[in-house]
């Protein structure tokens, strides 16, 4: 869980950086260049296979861990004061993870399937696939925008628990470095989903076009 989690965290960083190129606000030309590089570089393309395997492994391990925890304590606690023992999002990793799963299924079917299989209908001034135009079109739908924003709130809580946990699971505890990792984890968990959530919102509002 820790290794796949850290791998997915590094994917999020790269994905967020490339997508943030939309904020250049040049009609998507810079973003499409970034997407073109990511889509044609063979190292990145090979990593995509590892990414999907990692994602599936992470989801599978999450469900297995949840099932193991339930099996370890078949009868519920008579007195259960979760609030006193852990943060609510630590106890809700299953729920938050499932919300993210729904988002991912919608997300991948909206962008990735089109980009890799069915084809992007238009090209930009540089002759690159106009993935930006697909984003603008997708985020015209307020239901999709709401789903994305809610999913990013879920992602923030998921990361808030997961970031430092990954290091703990791997046994990487250190008197000096663990507090630094925790602080970086909190910043990462808030900033990255916030930047992601801003994308559908600014496009829906027509601030980026
Ligand atoms: C909310 C803002 C987001 C936007 C606008 C966005 C946009 C995109 C686009 C345009 C693609 C297709 C890239 C290509 O095929 O060249 C893509 C792929 C993908 N996205 Fe996102 N994404 C967002 C957030 C996320 C988040 C939060 C996750 C994970 C939790 C995620 C996971 C993926 C995956 C797994 C793929 C397919 C693999 C790949 O193309 O490398 N995305 N996204």
């Amino acid at each position: 869980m820790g290794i796949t989690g850290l791998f997915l965290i590094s994917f999020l960083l790269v994905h967020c950086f490339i997508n943030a190129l939309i904020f250049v606000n040049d009609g998507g030309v810079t973003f499409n260049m970034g997407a073109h590089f990511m889509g044609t570089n063979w190292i990145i393309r090979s990593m995509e296979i590892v990414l999907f395997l990692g994602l599936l492994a992470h989801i599978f391990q999450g469900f297995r861990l949840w099932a193991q925890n339930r099996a370890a304590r078949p009868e519920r606690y008579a007195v259960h004061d979760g609030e006193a023992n852990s943060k609510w999002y630590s106890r809700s990793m299953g729920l938050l993870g499932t919300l993210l799963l729904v988002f991912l299924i919608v997300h991948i079917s909206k962008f990735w399937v089109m980009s890799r299989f069915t084809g992007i209908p238009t090209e930009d001034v540089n002759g690159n696939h106009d993935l930006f135009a697909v984003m603008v079109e997708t985020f015209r739908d307020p239901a999709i925008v709401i789903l994305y924003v809610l999913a990013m709130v879920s992602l923030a809580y998921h990361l808030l628990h997961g970031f430092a946990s990954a290091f703990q699971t791997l046994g990487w505890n250190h008197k000096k470095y663990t507090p630094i990792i925790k602080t970086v984890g909190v910043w990462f968990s808030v900033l990255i989903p916030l930047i992601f959530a801003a994308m559908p919102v600014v496009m829906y509002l027509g601030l980026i076009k």
Side-chain angles (χ1 to χ4, degrees):
M1 197 96 230
I3 290 176
T4 52
L6 285 183
F7 176 70
L8 294 172
I9 282 170
S10 58
F11 159 75
L12 278 180
L13 194 62
V14 176
H15 193 34
C16 190
F17 176 74
I18 300 285
N19 285 1
L21 294 176
I22 66 162
F23 294 116
V24 175
N25 209 359
D26 59 354
V29 174
T30 311
F31 165 74
N32 285 339
M33 255 160 34
H36 176 77
F37 169 77
M38 298 299 278
T40 49
N41 183 291
W42 69 269
I43 301 175
I44 310 274
R45 289 304 300 271
S46 322
M47 283 311 282
E48 205 169 81
I49 300 165
V50 183
L51 169 70
F52 277 106
L53 291 177
L55 199 59
L56 287 176
H58 189 75
I59 294 165
F60 174 73
Q61 286 161 339
F63 278 120
R64 207 180 52 176
L65 210 65
W66 175 78
Q68 271 172 2
N69 286 345
R70 276 188 83 91
R73 177 94 208 167
E75 80 271 22
R76 310 281 99 210
Y77 287 106
V79 178
H80 177 66
D81 188 3
E83 203 50 52
N85 301 315
S86 57
K87 294 249 185 336
W88 72 266
Y89 51 79
S90 299
R91 285 174 274 119
S92 310
M93 284 302 268
L95 176 73
L96 296 173
T98 309
L99 236 154
L100 275 180
L101 192 59
V102 173
F103 156 78
L104 271 177
I105 294 167
V106 173
H107 182 54
I108 286 170
S109 63
K110 286 255 168 249
F111 291 110
W112 186 74
V113 170
M114 192 188 254
S115 159
R116 297 286 183 268
F117 299 102
T118 52
I120 306 282
T122 51
E123 286 183 352
D124 70 7
V125 287
N126 290 331
N128 288 326
H129 289 314
D130 203 352
L131 201 53
F132 180 79
V134 179
M135 263 162 87
V136 172
E137 191 54 41
T138 305
F139 297 137
R140 273 212 179 110
D141 182 349
I144 297 282
V145 175
I146 291 169
L147 171 72
Y148 270 64
V149 171
L150 286 181
M152 290 313 102
V153 174
S154 173
L155 178 66
Y157 283 116
H158 196 77
L159 287 170
L160 221 39
H161 167 84
F163 197 102
S165 278
F167 289 88
Q168 202 174 28
T169 308
L170 295 170
W172 297 345
N173 280 314
H174 192 279
K175 227 165 71 193
K176 194 162 134 206
Y177 300 121
T178 300
I180 301 173
I181 289 169
K182 282 198 170 148
T183 307
V184 171
V186 172
W187 278 100
F188 185 94
S189 308
V190 174
L191 275 183
I192 297 289
L194 200 64
I195 298 170
F196 268 133
M199 294 168 193
V201 173
V202 293
M203 282 188 150
Y204 180 74
L205 296 176
L207 300 173
I208 299 281
K209 50 192 172 200

